[in-house]
Amino acid sequence: MKGLSNIALSVRASTTLAVDSLAKQMVSEGHDVIGFGAGEPDFDTPDNIKAAALAAMTAGETKYTPTAGIAALRRAVAARLLEDCGVKYESGKIVIASGAKHSIYTALRALLNPGDEVIIPSPYWVTYTESVRMAGGVPVIVEATRDEGFKITPEKLDEAVTVRTKLFIINNPANPTGALYDGGELRALADVCLRHDIYIMSDEIYCSLVYGGKKFVSVPSLGEDIKERTILINGVSKTYAMTGWRIGYSASNSGIAGIMESYLSHSTSAPSTISQFAALEALTGSQDSRDAMRAEFERRRDYAVARINSIEGVSCIEPDGAFYIMIDIGEQIGRTLGGRHIVGGDDFALSLLKNGLVAVVSGAGFGAPGYVRMTYAVSMEKIKEGLDRLERFVSGE
Ligand SMILES: *Cc1c(COP(=O)(O)O)cnc(C)c1O
């Protein structure tokens, strides 16, 4: 038989899902595993949002919608971007898709020619590199170190630019590090992009999950010239505990929005109608549950950061947003834990799961092999028990 697509063969399966499925298998076999692996809120979708979905079904809202989404939802996104991010978009520039992940892929399809380079800071969300490959582009990784707060500097960005650079992807606040860029840092990075005529994809899916009184700054709010070349990505999954509803959106200039709409019309037609009505309620209804979830995440972050740094041989920096912590396991490398020689995050995560019954994600898949990522989107009780287990595991007991 003839070979399969070279592009498809170059794509790696999601490592975050791999650890999660092994942990789930162990749970189904009766093991008491604490799961710090998955990247979704543990909260249930708020009741007002579920009720809106039921009402939509009852009212017969079960047919195709316009490709880019129902007009009311596009307007609601524009209104929320103005209120939360201080950035003004006409609703015609908002395109609704089946999850932010799908918005990202569709935007890459609109932007990239084969061989175009895309600069991605590491540690990165695994989907960026693979979706760039799926769209025929070439990921170019620029490392941001722990000492730099896991944020890339304008100098490093500038050095990575070549004649083939088309796009810079920034995730703010970031998965997996929780790093938050301030306005000045974003401005300096955007200036490099302006100077070299590079597009910016700003994934702001965690914009509402910012802690310690810090302020979130949206990239397109930095100025008209920057806004013109920015594709803003966001969605309801993380902010409203709606990961399973699959609604994401983009805001961009009309040229890009139009191409994305054409692509979507031939791939998904439109996102689920029922989910669009649920998202409409999420964005326009009471924001109380959103604010309560944010406050609870902050409480858990504060506990987890202090607890991790109290454990001999592991440490972390305090993340300012999202719901992840990168645990530095550098001191564990070279040791033998649970009968396994530790050379990096992969062995550590595997041995911790099998012997310590805690599921974390190896940093290797994020381009940071000396780390593992834990999420605090799990209950406080589980965070306490899981970190107690981590301490026992690294103490070799
Ligand atoms: C979860 C996540 C997304 C995608 O969310 P959807 O569920 O597809 O809307 C996008 N970017 C980052 C960084 C994420 O962590």
Side-chain angles (χ1 to χ4, degrees), residues 39 99-101 104 125 128 171 175 203 205-206 237-238 243 246-248 324:
K101 196 180 259 190
I104 291 168
W125 185 46
Y128 297 137
N171 180 205
N175 175 5
D203 181 349
I205 192 112
Y206 294 103
S237 285
K238 308 293 162 62
T243 44
R246 312 308 307 129
I247 297 291
Y324 310 99

Coordinates of all heavy atoms in Angstrom, one line a residue, residues 39 99-101 104 125 128 171 175 203 205-206 237-238 243 246-248 324, ligand 1:
G39 N -6.0 18.7 32.3 CA -6.0 20.2 32.2 C -7.4 20.7 32.1 O -7.7 21.4 31.1
G99 N -14.3 24.8 20.0 CA -13.2 24.8 21.0 C -12.1 25.7 20.5 O -11.9 25.9 19.3
A100 N -11.4 26.3 21.5 CA -10.2 27.2 21.2 C -9.2 26.4 20.4 O -8.5 27.0 19.6 CB -9.7 27.8 22.5
K101 N -9.0 25.1 20.7 CA -8.0 24.3 20.0 C -8.3 24.3 18.5 O -7.4 24.4 17.7 CB -8.1 22.9 20.6 CG -6.9 22.0 20.2 CD -7.1 20.7 20.8 CE -6.3 20.5 22.1 NZ -6.2 19.1 22.6
I104 N -7.4 27.7 17.0 CA -6.0 27.8 16.7 C -5.6 27.1 15.4 O -5.0 27.6 14.6 CB -5.2 27.1 17.9 CG1 -5.4 28.0 19.2 CG2 -3.7 26.9 17.6 CD1 -4.9 27.3 20.5
W125 N 2.5 24.7 25.4 CA 1.4 23.8 25.4 C 1.6 22.9 24.2 O 1.9 23.4 23.1 CB 0.1 24.6 25.2 CG -1.2 23.8 25.3 CD1 -1.5 22.8 26.2 CD2 -2.3 23.9 24.4 NE1 -2.8 22.3 25.9 CE2 -3.3 23.0 24.8 CE3 -2.6 24.7 23.3 CZ2 -4.5 22.8 24.2 CZ3 -3.8 24.6 22.7 CH2 -4.7 23.7 23.1
Y128 N 0.5 23.4 20.3 CA 1.1 24.4 19.4 C 2.0 23.8 18.4 O 1.9 24.0 17.2 CB 1.8 25.5 20.2 CG 1.0 26.3 21.1 CD1 1.4 26.7 22.4 CD2 -0.3 26.8 20.7 CE1 0.7 27.4 23.2 CE2 -1.1 27.5 21.6 CZ -0.6 27.9 22.8 OH -1.4 28.6 23.7
N171 N 1.1 32.5 24.8 CA 0.0 32.0 25.6 C 0.1 32.7 27.0 O 1.1 32.6 27.7 CB 0.2 30.5 25.8 CG -0.9 29.9 26.6 OD1 -0.7 28.8 27.2 ND2 -2.1 30.4 26.7
N175 N -0.1 27.9 29.9 CA -0.1 26.5 30.2 C 1.2 26.0 29.6 O 1.4 26.2 28.4 CB -1.3 25.9 29.6 CG -1.3 24.4 29.7 OD1 -0.5 23.8 30.4 ND2 -2.3 23.7 29.1
D203 N -3.0 33.4 22.6 CA -3.9 32.5 23.2 C -4.2 32.9 24.7 O -3.3 32.8 25.5 CB -3.3 31.1 23.2 CG -4.3 30.0 23.8 OD1 -5.3 30.4 24.4 OD2 -4.0 28.8 23.6
I205 N -6.8 32.0 26.7 CA -7.8 31.2 27.2 C -7.9 31.2 28.8 O -8.9 31.0 29.4 CB -7.7 29.7 26.7 CG1 -8.9 28.9 27.0 CG2 -6.5 29.0 27.3 CD1 -9.7 28.5 25.9
Y206 N -6.8 31.6 29.4 CA -6.7 31.7 30.9 C -6.9 33.1 31.4 O -6.5 33.4 32.5 CB -5.5 31.0 31.4 CG -5.4 29.5 31.2 CD1 -4.6 29.0 30.2 CD2 -6.2 28.7 31.9 CE1 -4.6 27.6 29.9 CE2 -6.2 27.3 31.7 CZ -5.4 26.8 30.7 OH -5.3 25.4 30.4
S237 N -14.1 27.2 27.8 CA -13.7 26.0 28.5 C -13.2 26.2 29.9 O -13.7 25.5 30.8 CB -12.7 25.2 27.7 OG -13.3 24.6 26.5
K238 N -12.2 27.0 30.0 CA -11.5 27.1 31.3 C -12.2 28.0 32.2 O -12.3 27.8 33.4 CB -10.0 27.5 31.0 CG -9.3 26.7 30.0 CD -9.1 25.2 30.4 CE -8.8 24.3 29.3 NZ -7.6 24.4 28.5
T243 N -15.4 22.6 29.4 CA -14.5 21.9 28.5 C -15.2 21.0 27.5 O -14.8 20.8 26.4 CB -13.4 21.1 29.2 OG1 -14.0 20.4 30.3 CG2 -12.3 22.0 29.8
R246 N -17.3 22.4 24.0 CA -16.5 22.7 22.8 C -16.9 24.0 22.1 O -17.4 24.0 20.9 CB -16.6 21.5 21.8 CG -16.4 20.1 22.4 CD -15.1 20.0 23.1 NE -13.9 20.4 22.4 CZ -13.0 21.3 22.9 NH1 -13.2 21.8 24.1 NH2 -12.0 21.6 22.2
I247 N -16.7 25.1 22.8 CA -16.9 26.4 22.2 C -15.7 27.3 22.4 O -15.3 27.5 23.6 CB -18.2 27.1 22.7 CG1 -19.4 26.4 22.4 CG2 -18.2 28.6 22.2 CD1 -19.9 26.3 20.9
G248 N -15.0 27.7 21.3 CA -13.9 28.6 21.4 C -14.2 29.7 20.4 O -15.1 29.6 19.6
Y324 N -1.9 25.6 36.8 CA -0.8 24.6 36.7 C 0.4 25.1 37.5 O 0.6 26.3 37.6 CB -0.4 24.4 35.3 CG -1.5 24.1 34.3 CD1 -2.0 25.1 33.5 CD2 -2.0 22.8 34.2 CE1 -3.0 24.9 32.7 CE2 -3.0 22.6 33.4 CZ -3.6 23.6 32.6 OH -4.6 23.3 31.7
Ligands
LIG1 C1 -7.3 24.1 27.3 C2 -6.5 25.0 26.4 C3 -7.0 25.4 25.1 C4 -8.2 24.8 24.4 O1 -9.4 24.8 25.0 P1 -10.7 24.3 24.2 O2 -11.3 23.4 25.2 O3 -10.3 23.7 22.9 O4 -11.5 25.6 24.0 C5 -6.3 26.3 24.4 N1 -5.1 26.8 24.8 C6 -4.6 26.3 26.0 C7 -3.2 26.9 26.4 C8 -5.2 25.4 26.8 O5 -4.7 25.0 27.9

